[in-house]
């Protein structure tokens, strides 16, 4: 409150045709800018009461600055802002500090904020025209987009109906399938027990018992032969040592005869041309016989003693011992559907004898290799018979079918929940249509791809390399679910790790457009990308057009706020 009114305050008061026309006052609080009976003004925050003449006197009296709506005297105070009418356009506001600062603020296209100099002409008519054209274009896009969006909504509704029907059918199937599994299990148990009983019975047959005994005997013989071979080797080694180390001049006749006999056993005996007479002569003759013979022939003979001709090879004996006798009982049990697998397992019948040993060693390896690669199926019959195998296959098939049905039910329930609520597919399920739709754009050295609700990728335009930029991680975390703002952002996270940096990620900024398209791609931070995307899914119908989503009113309010 100044004692001597300044030029500004005079002009400000003169500018007010009536008390309600105080310069710069927001019409929302205009009623407070009327002098009281005592000719006073109460600050809007109630902090003080001042003479009405102190309003707009270019001196700040109120703590909140509400006494100076038309000057810059209260700059920085909470209520210190200037309201401009912008007639013919949309009213605006500027901070009190910007009143009469010599700058034509765009918020006040009527130039009223520069009232002291009158330096800013009223440009509201032309600005309003441009604005209207922009708004008209936006509304046109919005209307066209909304029509497309409505097809998305219909799609979601149809999809919902289809899924609900499928869900009902699948739920009805479950009880039948559970019964099928139960019956198949009972049949399998029966077949298994019958098969066990039958095998037990057959095992009591004289033939089986005899074969088992034979096998036991073969087993024991094999052990005996192995032990004897060991013993023979020890004895031969011993005699070899003895024959090399013994002293022929010694008088130990027992040793001498043993060596002579050993050498006879392994070598060809040669009698000297002129045998000597007498006892000494006999000994010399014997020695000559022993020393005689050909070393190579002796070695061959020794080898023959150790490994006689006609010896049954170990693999043949092992084959007999390994034979699955129970399996033979089962496979003979009416298994007359001799399929290709059977042929494969009987391949040995066609293998020439000379190759059999090699084939036998390689067979297991070949069969497991073919089984691993799914070329053949190992026959179950050897383990439990064809009836059990069939029963087991039926039980497994019934279980698989029940599991598939249950899993489909869970999927449908999830999708229906996502369509029906506002969680995933928007207020009217409109985004369901875009689930899996991919759009892309070229930017610099890369083509950027976005698959809605799937993943984002960065593909090189120079080679075939590409980086994952992440998978769908949710909508706008700041927006309230169901509000327009909630659907204007999507997050894609956990992409390929950036060298020396974070995992790649994308923030998608969505707006209404008549097509699904990526408008621009930027990388504001290393490996953090921003996609600007248009989509009809965000073209909510205009107020007055039919039918608006629930949150439409909220969006309309947001829009008005933005404009003010
Ligand atoms: C690649 C691309 C770029 C990224 C760098 C980071 O070249 O993914 O977008 O900035 O890696 O090393």
């Amino acid at each position: 409150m100044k004692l001597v009114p300044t030029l500004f305050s005079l002009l400000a008061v003169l500018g007010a045709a009536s008390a309600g026309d105080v310069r710069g006052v927001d019409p929302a609080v205009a009623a407070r800018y009327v002098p009281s009976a005592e000719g006073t003004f109460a600050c809007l925050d109630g902090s003080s009461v001042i003479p009405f003449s102190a309003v707009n006197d270019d001196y700040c009296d109120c703590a909140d600055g509400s006494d100076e709506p038309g000057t810059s005297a209260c700059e920085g105070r909470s209520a210190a802002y200037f309201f401009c009418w912008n007639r013919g356009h949309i009213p605006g506001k500027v901070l009190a500090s910007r009143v009469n600062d010599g700058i034509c603020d765009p918020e006040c296209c009527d130039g009223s904020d520069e009232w002291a100099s009158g330096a800013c002409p009223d440009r509201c008519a032309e600005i309003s025209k441009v604005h209207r054209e922009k708004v008209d274009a936006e509304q046109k896009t919005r209307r066209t987009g909304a029509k497309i969006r409505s097809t998305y909504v219909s799609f979601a509704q149809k999809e919902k109906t289809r899924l609900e029907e499928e869900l009902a059918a699948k739920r009805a199937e479950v009880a039948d399938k559970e019964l099928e599994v139960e019956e198949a299990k009972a049949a399998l148990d029966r077949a298994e027990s019958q098969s066990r009983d039958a095998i037990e019975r057959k095992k009591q047959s004289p033939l089986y018992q005899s074969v088992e005994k034979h096998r036991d005997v073969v087993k024991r013989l094999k052990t005996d032969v192995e032990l004897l071979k060991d013993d023979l080797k020890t004895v031969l080694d011993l005699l070899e040592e003895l024959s090399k180390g013994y002293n022929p001049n010694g008088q130990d006749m027992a040793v001498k005869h043993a060596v002579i006999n050993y050498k006879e056993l392994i070598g060809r005996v040669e009698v000297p041309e002129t045998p000597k007479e007498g006892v000494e002569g006999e000994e010399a003759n014997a020695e000559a016989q022993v020393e005689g013979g050909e070393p190579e022939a002796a070695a061959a003979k020794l080898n023959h003693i150790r490994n006689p001709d006609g010896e049954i090879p170990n693999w043949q004996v092992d084959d007999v011992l390994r034979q699955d006798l129970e399996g033979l009982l089962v496979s003979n049990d009416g298994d007359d559907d001799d399929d290709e697998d059977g042929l494969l397992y009987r391949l040995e019948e066609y293998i020439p004898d000379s190759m059999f040993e090699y084939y036998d060693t390689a067979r297991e390896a070949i069969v497991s290799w073919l089984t691993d690669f799914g070329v053949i199926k190992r026959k179950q019959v050897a383990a439990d018979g064809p009836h059990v195998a069939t029963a087991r296959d039926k039980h497994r098939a019934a279980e698989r079918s029940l599991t598939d049905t249950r899993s489909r039910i869970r999927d449908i329930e999830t999708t229906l929940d996502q369509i029906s609520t506002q969680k995933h597919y928007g207020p009217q399920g409109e985004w369901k249509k875009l689930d899996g739709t991919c759009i892309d754009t070229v930017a610099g050295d890369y083509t950027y791809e976005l698959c809605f609700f799937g993943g984002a990728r960065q593909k090189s335009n120079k080679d075939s390399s590409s980086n994952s930029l992440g998978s769908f991680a949710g909508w706008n975390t700041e927006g309230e679910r169901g509000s327009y703002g909630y659907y204007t952002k999507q997050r894609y996270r956990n992409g390929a790790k950036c060298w020396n940096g974070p995992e790649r990620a994308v923030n998608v900024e969505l707006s209404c457009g008549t097509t699904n398209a990526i408008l621009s791609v930027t990388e504001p931070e290393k490996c953090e990308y921003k996609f600007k995307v248009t989509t009809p899914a965000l073209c909510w119908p205009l107020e007055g057009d039919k039918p608006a989503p629930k949150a439409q009113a909220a969006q309309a309010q947001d829009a008005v706020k933005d404009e003010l």
Side-chain angles (χ1 to χ4, degrees):
M1 181 184 354
K2 286 183 185 169
L3 295 176
V4 184
T6 61
L7 178 64
F8 270 167
S9 65
L10 278 175
L11 286 170
V13 174
L14 285 174
S18 70
D21 284 339
V22 178
R23 190 189 300 279
V25 168
D26 187 334
V29 288
R32 306 281 297 271
Y33 287 81
V34 177
S36 68
E38 293 79 35
T40 59
F41 168 76
C43 300
L44 293 187
D45 62 357
S47 55
S48 31
V49 175
I50 57 171
F52 197 82
S53 59
V55 172
N56 277 344
D57 67 348
D58 202 23
Y59 184 85
C60 197
D61 296 293
C62 295
D64 63 353
S66 55
D67 59 313
E68 294 297 317
T71 77
S72 58
C74 290
E75 73 170 88
R77 308 287 174 93
S78 61
Y81 62 86
F82 179 90
F83 181 91
C84 35
W85 285 94
N86 293 342
R87 296 191 196 283
H89 189 46
I90 302 156
K93 283 176 189 175
V94 289
L95 292 172
S97 59
R98 288 158 71 180
V99 174
N100 291 328
D101 63 351
I103 296 168
C104 301
D105 290 293
E107 293 87 347
C108 292
C109 62
D110 58 2
S112 59
D113 58 315
E114 296 301 315
W115 53 266
S117 64
C120 299
D122 184 344
R123 294 180 57 231
C124 285
E126 59 185 287
I127 287 175
S128 176
K129 186 167 175 277
V130 173
H131 175 74
R132 278 256 48 94
E133 281 166 4
K134 189 167 164 255
V135 169
D136 286 352
E138 276 170 9
Q139 289 196 348
K140 200 169 162 220
T141 301
R142 202 52 196 275
R143 286 207 168 89
T144 312
K147 280 185 195 147
I148 301 170
R149 180 182 176 278
S150 71
T151 66
Y152 293 1
V153 173
S154 316
F155 173 84
Q157 281 161 358
K158 280 194 202 113
E159 191 63 359
K160 189 166 169 262
T161 312
R162 188 185 71 76
L163 288 172
E164 279 166 353
E165 282 166 12
E166 191 186 339
L167 183 62
K170 292 280 170 203
R171 280 183 178 151
E173 274 174 28
V174 168
D176 290 349
K177 294 203 167 179
E178 280 171 348
L179 195 65
E180 272 169 37
V181 170
E182 243 174 65
E183 284 171 359
K185 177 75 176 78
L188 173 61
D189 289 347
R190 263 196 317 278
E192 277 177 343
S193 116
Q194 279 165 5
S195 163
R196 269 194 305 275
D197 292 350
I199 290 171
E200 282 313 312
R201 255 196 328 278
K202 285 180 185 171
K203 278 166 91 174
Q204 302 312 316
S205 74
L207 182 62
Y208 186 87
Q209 299 280 327
S210 162
V211 173
E212 265 199 330
K213 265 186 206 140
H214 278 76
R215 192 160 65 170
D216 270 359
V217 169
V218 172
K219 204 176 187 172
R220 289 214 317 268
L221 280 175
K222 186 187 174 214
T223 315
D224 287 353
V225 167
E226 274 160 8
L227 288 173
L228 284 173
K229 269 189 164 182
D230 281 353
D231 290 349
L232 180 62
K233 183 176 180 303
T234 311
V235 171
L236 288 174
D237 289 350
L238 209 81
L239 286 169
E240 182 67 23
E241 280 302 303
L242 195 62
S243 71
K244 280 182 189 153
Y246 108 106
N247 178 3
N249 299 324
Q251 291 304 307
D252 190 335
M253 290 309 283
V255 173
K256 197 167 187 169
H257 278 114
V259 171
I260 290 168
N261 286 336
Y262 168 65
K263 291 198 174 178
E264 268 178 8
L265 180 72
I266 64 165
R268 183 158 59 82
V269 177
E270 283 198 1
V271 180
E273 277 170 17
T274 15
K276 294 182 181 158
E277 299 289 324
V279 178
E280 284 186 8
E282 272 176 30
E283 282 175 8
N285 292 341
E287 259 172 48
Q289 284 176 355
V290 168
E291 294 308 326
E294 292 159 15
E296 280 168 22
K301 186 137 191 224
L302 188 58
N303 188 38
H304 174 72
I305 295 166
R306 291 178 195 246
N307 305 293
D309 288 343
E311 186 186 24
I312 302 167
N314 265 343
W315 63 263
Q316 239 171 26
V317 180
D318 290 343
D319 224 22
V320 169
L321 293 176
R322 268 203 307 263
Q323 180 72 59
D324 176 10
L325 295 183
E326 265 188 41
L328 284 177
L329 288 182
V330 177
S331 55
N332 286 337
D333 185 17
D335 181 18
D336 43 19
D337 50 338
D338 206 355
D339 55 17
E340 284 174 20
D341 289 355
L343 276 180
L344 184 96
Y345 281 87
R346 290 190 290 105
L347 208 56
E348 50 263 42
E349 289 172 18
Y350 304 91
I351 302 285
D353 287 351
S354 56
M355 287 175 66
F356 194 86
E357 189 172 354
Y358 173 74
Y359 162 77
D360 198 49
T361 323
R363 186 184 64 176
E364 256 316 295
I366 294 170
V367 169
S368 44
W369 186 81
L370 291 175
T371 315
D372 288 351
F373 283 87
V375 181
I376 58 162
K377 266 197 332 208
R378 265 181 201 275
K379 289 186 84 172
Q380 278 277 340
V381 289
D384 46 22
H387 304 307
V388 176
T390 310
R392 181 174 292 114
D393 283 352
K394 277 191 184 151
H395 178 239
R396 279 192 192 141
E399 272 192 328
R400 208 174 306 121
S401 171
L402 177 61
T403 311
D404 289 353
T405 307
R406 284 191 174 137
S407 129
R408 178 70 190 139
I409 287 175
R410 275 195 302 278
D411 288 352
I412 298 174
E413 284 170 344
T414 307
T415 313
L416 279 174
D417 182 59
Q418 289 171 334
I419 294 177
S420 310
T421 65
Q422 297 179 344
K423 276 180 207 158
H424 203 65
Y425 292 126
Q428 293 175 291
E430 63 273 32
W431 286 89
K432 173 72 182 136
K433 172 79 179 167
L434 297 182
D435 192 350
T437 296
C438 299
I439 49 178
D440 60 23
T441 190
V442 174
D445 292 341
Y446 299 101
T447 297
Y448 290 87
E449 182 188 68
L450 175 73
C451 295
F452 289 114
F453 304 104
R457 290 203 84 77
Q458 179 191 50
K459 301 177 188 170
S460 168
N461 294 335
K462 294 178 179 158
D463 52 43
S464 58
S465 66
S466 95
N467 288 320
S468 159
L469 301 185
S471 307
F472 179 71
W475 292 100
N476 187 5
T477 40
E478 288 149 23
E480 193 190 326
R481 180 174 295 164
S483 71
Y484 188 83
Y486 185 70
Y487 303 102
T488 56
K489 281 185 184 148
Q490 281 191 340
R491 292 169 293 121
Y492 290 75
R493 295 290 179 267
N494 304 113
K497 187 156 168 17
C498 186
W499 190 73
N500 263 349
E503 286 176 342
R504 289 176 173 80
V506 184
N507 289 318
V508 181
E509 291 184 2
L510 299 143
S511 61
C512 159
T514 51
T515 55
N516 291 295
I518 302 176
L519 294 187
S520 68
V521 174
T522 50
E523 194 177 339
E525 297 284 336
K526 193 172 166 191
C527 295
E528 285 179 17
Y529 305 83
K530 183 158 90 177
F531 288 14
K532 287 200 168 178
V533 168
T534 58
T535 171
L538 262 183
C539 299
W540 288 17
L542 289 162
E543 198 79 343
D545 293 352
K546 49 134 211 185
K550 275 187 236 153
Q552 177 72 24
Q555 187 223 351
Q557 274 174 10
D558 287 353
V560 171
K561 270 191 216 144
D562 287 349
E563 283 188 351
L564 276 175

